[in-house]
Amino acid sequence: MKCSNCGQKILRNLLIQEIIFPWLIPTWEICQTCQSAFQKIEIKKACPGCMRPNCDSLCFDCQRWREIYPQFTLQHQALYHYNAAIQDWLHRYKFGGDYNLARTFAKPIKEKLKKYRGFTIVPLPLSKVRQKERGFNQVEALLKAANISYENLLMRQRHDAPQALKTRQDRLALQQPYQVALNQSVSGKKIVLVDDVYTTGRTIYHGVELLYQFDVKEVVTFTLAR
């Protein structure tokens, strides 16, 4: 087997079930070196609002968001620190178009999202222009690699410059870019809204705000990194 991030061969002892059922042996998994580079967020040492690492109380950003959106409280989960390793992976995957990297985090994403029984998984959408440029929606690809069923209940109504090219102020000033997709209903649903990275929180809050306007029962959010 090979590392799904760096491509190096992985040598390890097989598990008993893999010996008995060899078809269970994965073709790809993450090597120890890459696992160490991708730093998991410790929940007890993260902001209870947005999962900002190394912040054991509600961070300043979350306090500000709660002033802006007093009608709901964000319930966010994230797996990894947005560190140099994640930035490098994201650059190769999202901007370099290496679609195969979607399987890098398939296992931890599946383990996390399978806990949300009774919820509909909804990826944040790209604009048609951005999806055509990139060739795929990076969030949908992560969910497919993890074998997670999802529904495209939202659509992006406006094309903007890439988030990576915007300043923090530009991102925070972004107007509502989403709308409920045509012929779709979200009323009464429990939804997990999924994106790749939580940075300022602007796009996540836009998505949550919109869903609550359409009478959803509950919205929680999830990103790979924070």
Side-chain angles (χ1 to χ4, degrees):
M1 69 190 76
K2 292 183 178 181
C3 175
S4 55
N5 179 56
C6 69
Q8 295 297 314
K9 287 186 177 180
I10 297 175
L11 299 176
R12 65 165 174 81
N13 295 326
L14 296 180
L15 303 174
I16 294 177
Q17 58 265 37
E18 292 173 338
I19 295 173
I20 299 173
F21 307 109
W23 55 86
L24 295 178
I25 300 173
T27 304
W28 301 87
E29 60 181 45
I30 306 177
C31 69
Q32 289 296 325
T33 300
C34 289
Q35 286 187 46
S36 298
F38 296 129
Q39 187 179 2
K40 288 188 176 182
I41 296 174
E42 295 183 51
I43 295 178
K44 293 182 179 180
K45 296 182 179 180
C47 170
C50 68
M51 291 285 288
R52 180 192 293 273
N54 303 318
C55 180
D56 56 5
S57 60
L58 198 67
C59 71
F60 176 78
D61 284 352
C62 282
Q63 293 177 43
R64 179 178 176 276
W65 283 122
R66 289 189 180 185
E67 291 177 357
I68 297 173
Y69 295 107
Q71 67 271 35
F72 64 82
T73 299
L74 189 71
Q75 301 177 61
H76 186 69
Q77 291 290 304
L79 294 176
Y80 298 97
H81 291 247
Y82 184 62
N83 62 7
I86 286 289
Q87 289 180 51
D88 174 70
W89 173 86
L90 195 66
H91 179 79
R92 290 181 289 125
Y93 171 57
K94 185 174 177 178
F95 305 112
D98 192 344
Y99 186 88
N100 288 329
L101 287 173
R103 57 197 170 199
T104 302
F105 303 104
K107 185 176 180 180
I109 288 174
K110 186 176 183 65
E111 289 177 348
K112 191 69 174 180
L113 292 182
K114 72 180 182 182
K115 297 178 181 179
Y116 291 98
R117 298 183 183 277
F119 282 76
T120 300
I121 309 298
V122 178
L124 274 175
L126 299 177
S127 68
K128 292 182 179 179
V129 174
R130 183 74 64 239
Q131 182 140 347
K132 185 177 181 179
E133 290 175 350
R134 195 165 293 161
F136 62 98
N137 180 312
Q138 74 278 0
V139 180
E140 290 182 13
L142 291 174
L143 295 172
K144 288 177 182 177
N147 197 28
I148 297 291
S149 297
Y150 63 88
E151 295 184 29
N152 290 312
L153 299 182
L154 301 180
M155 60 183 292
R156 191 165 184 126
Q157 58 186 342
R158 187 178 63 253
H159 177 67
D160 296 296
Q163 292 292 303
L165 299 180
K166 295 178 180 177
T167 65
R168 178 179 176 83
Q169 289 70 27
D170 288 338
R171 294 184 187 190
L172 290 173
L174 178 69
Q175 298 301 304
Q176 175 63 263
Y178 304 117
Q179 65 183 46
V180 175
L182 298 177
N183 302 317
Q184 295 288 352
S185 175
V186 298
S187 178
K189 291 181 180 290
K190 297 167 66 177
I191 289 175
V192 180
L193 193 62
V194 183
D195 203 2
D196 51 0
V197 178
Y198 182 116
T199 48
T200 63
R202 178 65 278 180
T203 53
I204 286 286
Y205 272 91
H206 271 319
V208 176
E209 176 192 27
L210 176 67
L211 289 169
Y212 275 122
Q213 288 175 354
F214 282 82
D215 199 28
V216 297
K217 185 175 182 179
E218 182 180 0
V219 184
V220 299
T221 58
F222 169 81
T223 57
L224 177 68
R226 171 65 174 100

